[in-house]
């Protein structure tokens, strides 16, 4: 249950952030492109709504490997939990830190659950209101009278022919509807108030018919699903309602353009027809809702439409095709989440350079101290890493790590890493040997915490705790890793200590950490998840 609540909250947060950015951009584009046909404005709003819906649900971006090979700086899929500086004192001495699965739900109650609960109440309210609007349009259909003959029906047929519609919708007269409307997504009908038919001039009535048929031709009832989904889900977002109003006005203006493209359509006659429709609107007029769209939604929008009608111009097909192509390209780039990634290296072999320090130096390795961290005596020296004795020594990288300025029990680290190109979906097993030696004749020297890291993420960890005098402790860190995208990753070891370096200026060190035998092996291709060890 908690997983579902977290998932809903993440979707709401992503959708809200997208709405804050996408809606203003869509409004700005429509404002800058005031001279273009209003159907272009409709497409801009459609792309905006698509972006919010897709962005909220589609989490993983599409990877485009076009960048030169470089560091990816992405969050990988790892097996073990990340351990932050300063929190290592809670790490178990002999175990890798793993996510806890025994925490009680009650002790982990989040305030986000309360927010999701409050949101659910509003969501159900607006969902119920949408259902009531659908029932209202269904009631109008049921109470209307079908018109299949007479002068009005002939006028309607002429309007359908003029608009170029193949499948003619049915015409209904109704005493329960105060505005003409197109009702029904699957079985569309045009409903016209009986009083409007009786009082309107045939020319004006014909233009009203064409407007509703224009909604059918543009499939506005289907497209209205987009803003309705966003409005019901983000009802708390102020920009949602502003964008919904601009959507409706753009939609009505696009139908106005469609009507006025007819050679026999007169702007003044059409404006008078819309004003007459507005006069029939009751004060308690309901919006068209999900399954219906009317000729006039509000008096305020009617005023804007009549003013805009005076500046509408007809564009050539070439210009419209050019704008459409640009809009398609922009839509694909905007709607689909994508991310630029590094190109795949041809015939790239995954291996550490100088992983056993066989060159006698640290060539190929990058040594990076973290905040308030330092290291001394960085050298490659012979050392018995496996503890077998008998002179079986090999080159190992030796250094002494600690704080620069003492911070009480705050772990500070030094990274020893290389950059490796890893492919998406493949599972890699990394390992290295470590050791720590206490030369000083005093016990309880903190040997530090050794960690296996990839791009700063911790895959495996071991806390050596206190090292007895004149003693050595050894071990191996190993873990698998599956990249979520191909690219260059920083892989290697991290050494943490929570104290300054003992006698950092002494010629002979009193505490040394050793690293050796770095290796990487490819295993079977995984389904983008790390394989358990």
């Amino acid at each position: 249950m908690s997983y579902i609540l977290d998932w809903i909250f993440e979707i709401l947060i992503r959708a809200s952030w997208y709405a804050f950015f996408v809606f203003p951009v869509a409004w700005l584009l429509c404002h800058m492109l005031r001279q273009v046909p209003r159907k272009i404005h409709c497409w801009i709003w459609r792309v905006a709504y698509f972006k919010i819906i897709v962005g909220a649900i589609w989490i993983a971006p599409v990877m485009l490997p076009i960048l030169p090979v470089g560091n990816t700086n992405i969050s990988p899929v790892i097996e073990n939990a990340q351990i932050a500086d300063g929190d290592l004192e809670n790490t178990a001495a002999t175990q890798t830190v793993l996510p806890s699965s025994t925490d009680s739900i009650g002790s982990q109650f989040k305030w986000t659950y309360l927010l999701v609960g409050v949101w659910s109440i509003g969501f159900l309210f607006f969902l119920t209101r949408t259902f009531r609007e659908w029932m209202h349009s269904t009631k109008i259909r049921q109470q209307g009278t079908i018109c299949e003959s007479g002068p009005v029906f002939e006028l309607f047929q002429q309007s359908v022919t003029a608009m170029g519609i193949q499948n003619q919708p049915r015409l209904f007269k109704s005493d329960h509807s105060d505005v003409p409307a197109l009702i029904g997504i699957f079985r569309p009908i045009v409903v016209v108030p009986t009083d409007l038919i009786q009082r309107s001039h045939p020319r004006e009535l014909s233009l009203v018919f064409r407007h509703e048929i224009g909604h059918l031709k543009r499939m506005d009832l289907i497209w209205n699903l987009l803003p309705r989904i966003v409005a019901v889900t983000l009802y708390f977002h102020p920009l949602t309602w502003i964008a919904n109003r601009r959507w409706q006005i753009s939609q009505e203006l696009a139908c106005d353009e469609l009507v006025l493209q007819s050679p026999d359509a007169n702007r003044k006659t059409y404006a008078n027809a819309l004003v007459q429709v507005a006069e029939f609107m009751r004060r308690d007029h309901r919006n068209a809702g999900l399954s219906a769209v009317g000729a006039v939604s509000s008096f305020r929008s009617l005023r804007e439409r009549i003013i805009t009608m005076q500046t509408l111009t007809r564009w050539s097909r070439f210009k419209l095709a050019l704008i459409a192509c640009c809009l398609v390209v922009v839509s694909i780039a905007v709607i689909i989440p994508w991310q630029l990634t590094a190109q795949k290296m041809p015939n790239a072999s995954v291996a550490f350079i100088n992983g056993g320090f066989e060159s006698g130096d640290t060539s190929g390795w990058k040594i990076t101290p973290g905040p308030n961290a330092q290291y001394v005596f960085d050298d490659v020296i012979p050392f018995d890493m496996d503890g077998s004795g008998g002179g079986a020594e090999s080159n190992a990288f030796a250094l002494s790590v600690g704080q620069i300025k003492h911070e009480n029990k705050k772990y500070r680290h030094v990274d020893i890493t290389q950059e490796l190109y890893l492919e998406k979906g493949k599972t890699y097993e990394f390992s290295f040997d470590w050791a720590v030696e206490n030369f000083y004749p005093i016990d309880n020297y903190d040997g530090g915490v050794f960690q296996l890291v990839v791009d700063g993420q911790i895959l495996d960890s071991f806390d050596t705790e206190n090292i007895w005098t004149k003693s050595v402790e050894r071990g191996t860190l190993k873990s698998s890793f599956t990249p979520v995208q191909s690219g260059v990753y920083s892989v290697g070891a991290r050494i943490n200590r929570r104290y300054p370096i003992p006698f950092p200026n002494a010629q002979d060190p009193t505490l040394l950490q050793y690293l050796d035998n770095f290796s990487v092996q490819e295993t079977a291709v995984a389904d983008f998840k790390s394989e358990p060890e």
Side-chain angles (χ1 to χ4, degrees):
M1 184 66 177
S2 60
Y3 170 79
I4 297 177
L5 295 177
D6 288 336
W7 179 73
I8 293 175
F9 183 75
E10 290 176 2
I11 286 180
L12 293 176
I13 290 297
R14 284 197 298 270
S16 298
W17 274 111
Y18 275 121
F20 266 120
F21 292 101
V22 172
F23 282 149
V25 170
W27 177 87
L28 184 61
L29 285 175
C30 292
H31 183 73
M32 295 173 59
L33 303 175
R34 284 173 291 183
Q35 303 302 321
V36 303
R38 289 309 186 268
K39 60 183 176 183
I40 301 298
H41 289 197
C42 290
W43 275 108
I44 292 175
W45 285 110
R46 290 170 184 174
V47 171
Y49 279 108
F50 261 124
K51 177 60 182 178
I52 293 173
I53 296 174
V54 173
I57 300 176
W58 194 340
I59 301 176
V62 176
M63 304 303 174
L64 300 179
I66 61 177
L67 293 178
V69 176
N71 200 310
T72 54
N73 293 322
I74 65 169
S75 298
V77 178
I78 60 173
E79 292 183 84
N80 305 320
Q82 180 178 357
I83 307 174
D85 284 347
D87 294 332
L88 289 171
E89 54 267 23
N90 299 322
T91 307
T94 59
Q95 294 182 352
T96 299
V97 178
L98 297 173
S100 174
S101 59
T102 59
D103 295 335
S104 64
I105 298 298
S107 63
Q108 292 186 347
F109 179 81
K110 299 179 182 179
W111 61 272
T112 55
Y113 298 165
L114 179 61
L115 292 179
V116 173
V118 174
W119 168 84
S120 301
I121 297 174
F123 176 76
L124 292 176
F125 170 78
F126 284 98
L127 198 63
T128 303
R129 195 170 82 167
T130 300
F131 177 75
R132 291 179 61 187
E133 291 175 354
W134 176 78
M135 291 296 296
H136 175 68
S137 62
T138 303
K139 183 179 178 181
I140 292 177
R141 174 196 287 265
Q142 294 174 347
Q143 295 177 344
T145 303
I146 187 171
C147 181
E148 293 180 322
S149 62
V152 175
F153 179 70
E154 293 178 0
L155 186 64
F156 179 72
Q157 285 184 315
Q158 294 173 5
S159 301
V160 171
T161 304
M163 296 299 293
I165 294 295
Q166 299 296 330
N167 297 323
Q168 176 177 315
R170 304 176 75 180
L171 177 64
F172 278 68
K173 295 184 294 184
S174 175
D175 296 329
H176 302 278
S177 175
D178 56 344
V179 294
L182 176 70
I183 296 178
I185 296 178
F186 303 106
R187 292 183 302 163
I189 65 171
V190 174
V191 178
V192 183
T194 305
D195 290 342
L196 183 65
I197 294 177
Q198 294 173 352
R199 299 183 185 182
S200 298
H201 190 278
R203 290 182 180 177
E204 295 176 350
L205 189 59
S206 174
L207 294 176
V208 171
F209 286 153
R210 295 183 188 188
H211 180 92
E212 299 308 323
I213 297 169
H215 282 299
L216 177 62
K217 186 175 182 178
R218 289 170 30 81
M219 298 187 294
D220 284 336
L221 288 177
I222 298 177
W223 286 112
N224 278 348
L225 292 172
L226 292 177
R228 182 51 60 101
I229 292 173
V230 174
V232 171
T233 306
L234 299 182
Y235 63 87
F236 56 87
H237 203 298
L239 294 182
T240 299
W241 302 103
I242 298 175
N244 189 60
R245 180 174 177 270
R246 299 311 310 172
W247 162 281
Q248 291 180 354
I249 292 176
S250 297
Q251 188 172 256
E252 296 300 327
L253 282 170
C255 281
D256 294 341
E257 282 183 333
L258 204 57
V259 172
L260 295 176
Q261 285 177 1
S262 301
D264 58 339
N266 181 272
R267 298 189 183 192
K268 184 177 180 180
T269 304
Y270 183 54
N272 290 335
L274 294 180
V275 171
Q276 189 170 11
V277 170
E279 291 176 353
F280 278 88
M281 286 177 57
R282 297 190 299 265
R283 292 185 179 273
D284 61 344
H285 167 71
R286 297 186 183 183
N287 287 331
L290 180 63
S291 60
V293 60
V296 177
S297 57
S298 67
F299 294 100
R300 183 183 301 178
S301 64
L302 177 60
R303 180 177 179 274
E304 181 176 345
R305 289 168 59 188
I306 292 177
I307 293 175
T308 306
M309 253 187 261
Q310 310 305 316
T311 60
L312 293 179
T313 57
R314 182 173 299 182
W315 284 50
S316 65
R317 291 186 178 182
F318 174 76
K319 290 183 178 180
L320 290 176
L322 185 61
I323 294 177
C325 291
C326 295
L327 192 59
V328 168
V329 173
V330 172
S331 300
I332 294 175
V334 170
I335 293 176
I336 300 177
W338 53 273
Q339 182 176 346
L340 299 179
T341 60
Q343 300 176 23
K344 181 178 178 180
M345 297 175 62
N347 302 322
S349 60
V350 181
F352 287 102
I353 301 174
N354 196 24
F357 302 97
E358 56 273 5
S359 66
D361 56 26
T362 58
S363 58
W365 292 94
K366 181 180 179 181
I367 308 174
T368 310
N372 195 37
Q374 64 175 337
Y375 61 95
V376 298
F377 192 77
D378 54 318
D379 197 4
V380 175
I381 60 176
F383 184 75
D384 183 10
M385 289 297 295
D386 57 10
S388 60
E393 295 182 344
S394 62
N395 286 342
F397 179 45
L399 71 166
S400 186
V401 174
Q403 300 173 348
I404 298 175
K405 182 180 179 181
H406 178 63
E407 298 176 280
N408 188 27
K409 295 185 178 181
K410 293 291 184 181
Y411 280 90
R412 299 304 175 195
H413 68 265
V414 173
D415 288 346
I416 302 92
T417 58
Q418 286 191 21
E419 292 187 345
L420 302 179
Y421 183 86
L422 308 180
E423 294 187 39
K424 172 183 176 181
K426 288 188 176 181
T427 300
Y428 300 87
E429 187 174 271
F430 301 106
S431 66
F432 67 86
D433 296 333
W434 60 267
V436 60
E437 184 175 14
N438 181 8
F439 298 93
Y440 199 64
I442 295 179
D443 297 334
N444 298 329
Y445 258 36
D446 177 56
V449 178
F450 292 85
Q451 296 170 334
L452 174 60
V453 295
V454 175
D455 269 4
Q457 305 290 329
I458 300 168
L459 273 63
D460 198 4
S461 178
F462 189 89
D463 188 350
T464 62
E465 293 190 328
N466 297 320
I467 306 299
W468 293 99
T469 182
K470 305 292 184 180
S471 64
V472 179
E473 188 169 353
R474 300 173 176 85
T476 300
L477 292 183
K478 178 191 297 185
S479 185
S480 14
F481 172 81
T482 303
V484 296
Q485 68 181 52
S486 300
V488 176
Y489 293 79
S490 180
V491 185
R494 173 175 291 178
I495 303 176
N496 294 267
R497 283 194 77 250
R498 53 184 172 177
Y499 300 106
I501 299 173
F503 307 104
N505 298 321
Q507 292 184 353
D508 296 324
T510 58
L511 182 72
L512 280 181
Q513 290 95 8
Y514 299 91
L515 300 173
D516 197 9
N517 301 323
F518 284 85
S519 67
V520 54
Q521 292 182 349
E522 294 184 25
T523 60
V525 176
D527 188 16
F528 308 115
K529 294 182 180 179
S530 298
E531 296 292 337
E533 294 182 0

